[in-house]
């Protein structure tokens, strides 16, 4: 995505609880002379802020023009990930803009490459098996979270349908009451005018 210098851009990620999130980013600055995005100048970095669904700050750190950040969610829900450049320019020129490449991986687990490159194949298979088991736990956790969200949505839908039904019944009663009152009023009017 593109961003102006010193402009904060935020992304919302729906993340289950106790889940590791890894983000990789790279910033490029627009060069007016080259008319292209070039690799970022030294000193330009990104300020990364992550907030939980309860607005608690999970991560707030300054990184370089290219980097990796990670955090673990403690609550399930919508986490807000914000990025802002730490540009030192006092005035933003009309052509000054940034291109930010962002890759967010939810539920990733680190694999120790030194262990994977070990000569003993049994250890390598064991580590890969443990990694697969962790991924299975993550998928199971994600499914449970989606199930909870679906149940909450279903309850909300049922409450809304119930409210709509009662509102329709109340409207019908009011309509019938007004109709009966109008008929009675017209009848009394005609009787008083001796038209009936």
């Amino acid at each position: 995505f593109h961003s102006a210098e010193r402009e904060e851009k935020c992304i919302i990620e729906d993340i289950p609880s106790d889940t590791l999130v890894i983000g990789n980013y790279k910033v490029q600055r627009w060069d007016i002379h080259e008319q292209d995005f070039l690799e970022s100048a030294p000193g330009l970095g990104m300020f990364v802020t992550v907030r939980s669904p309860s607005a608690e700050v999970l991560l707030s750190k300054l990184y370089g023009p290219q980097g990796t950040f990670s955090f673990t969610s403690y609550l399930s829900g919508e986490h807000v990930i914000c990025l802002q450049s730490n540009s030192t320019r006092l005035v933003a020129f009309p052509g000054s803009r940034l291109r930010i490449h962002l890759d967010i991986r939810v539920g990733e687990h680190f694999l120790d490459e030194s262990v994977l490159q070990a000569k003993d194949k049994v250890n390598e298979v064991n580590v890969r098996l443990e990694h697969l088991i962790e991924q299975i736990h993550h998928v199971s956790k994600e499914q449970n979270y989606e199930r909870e969200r679906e149940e909450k949505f279903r309850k909300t839908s049922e409450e809304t349908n119930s409210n709509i039904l009662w509102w329709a019944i109340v409207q019908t009663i009011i309509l019938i009451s007004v109709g009966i009152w109008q008929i009675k009023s017209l009848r009394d009017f005609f009787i008083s005018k001796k038209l009936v």
Side-chain angles (χ1 to χ4, degrees), residues 109-111 115 122-137:
H109 297 282
F110 294 110
L111 277 176
V115 173
V122 174
N123 284 342
E124 183 179 345
V125 170
N126 193 17
V127 168
R128 288 194 183 270
L129 186 62
E130 288 176 3
H131 181 70
L132 287 174
I133 290 171
E134 286 179 13
Q135 286 181 331
I136 289 170
H137 287 300

Side-chain angles (χ1 to χ4, degrees), residues 150-191:
E150 188 274 331
E151 185 177 333
K152 183 178 177 184
F153 179 75
R154 184 178 48 76
K155 285 181 182 177
T156 304
S157 296
E158 288 174 357
E159 288 175 6
T160 304
N161 288 340
S162 174
N163 291 341
I164 290 172
L165 175 68
W166 284 110
W167 179 244
I169 291 171
V170 168
Q171 281 182 326
T172 305
I173 291 172
I174 291 173
L175 185 64
I176 291 172
S177 302
V178 168
I180 291 171
W181 177 78
Q182 284 180 338
I183 291 172
K184 185 180 180 316
S185 297
L186 278 173
R187 188 173 151 249
D188 291 344
F189 174 76
F190 288 143
I191 290 175

Side-chain angles (χ1 to χ4, degrees), residues 78-137:
E78 293 181 344
H79 288 68
V80 180
I81 302 168
C82 297
L83 294 113
Q84 181 180 16
S85 71
N86 70 336
S87 177
T88 55
R89 293 183 184 184
L90 295 176
V91 179
F93 298 105
S96 65
R97 58 185 173 165
L98 304 172
R99 177 189 286 166
I100 302 170
H101 302 271
L102 179 64
D103 177 33
I104 296 177
R105 292 186 309 258
V106 178
E108 288 288 317
H109 297 282
F110 294 110
L111 277 176
D112 191 357
E113 293 298 325
S114 63
V115 173
L116 292 178
Q117 294 173 354
K119 291 180 182 177
D120 187 10
K121 293 292 182 183
V122 174
N123 284 342
E124 183 179 345
V125 170
N126 193 17
V127 168
R128 288 194 183 270
L129 186 62
E130 288 176 3
H131 181 70
L132 287 174
I133 290 171
E134 286 179 13
Q135 286 181 331
I136 289 170
H137 287 300

Side-chain angles (χ1 to χ4, degrees), residues 2-87:
H2 291 158
S3 170
E5 290 193 37
R6 299 176 128 189
E7 178 185 9
E8 185 177 51
K9 291 279 187 166
C10 295
I11 295 166
I12 297 174
E13 281 289 323
D14 204 2
I15 304 169
S17 62
D18 297 324
T19 302
L20 178 66
V21 179
I22 301 170
N24 293 316
Y25 73 90
K26 178 176 147 185
V27 181
Q28 295 175 314
R29 181 179 277 157
W30 176 255
D31 190 327
I32 297 173
H33 304 295
E34 296 284 330
Q35 291 296 311
D36 193 15
F37 285 97
L38 301 177
E39 296 305 314
S40 183
L44 181 67
M46 293 302 286
F47 193 73
V48 179
T49 306
V50 178
R51 288 184 184 84
S52 70
S54 63
E56 176 187 354
V57 176
L58 297 177
L59 175 70
S60 181
K61 189 172 178 184
L62 179 64
Y63 293 91
Q66 177 173 332
T68 300
F69 61 90
S70 64
F71 65 94
T72 302
S73 63
Y74 297 106
L75 295 172
S76 57
E78 293 181 344
H79 288 68
V80 180
I81 302 168
C82 297
L83 294 113
Q84 181 180 16
S85 71
N86 70 336
S87 177

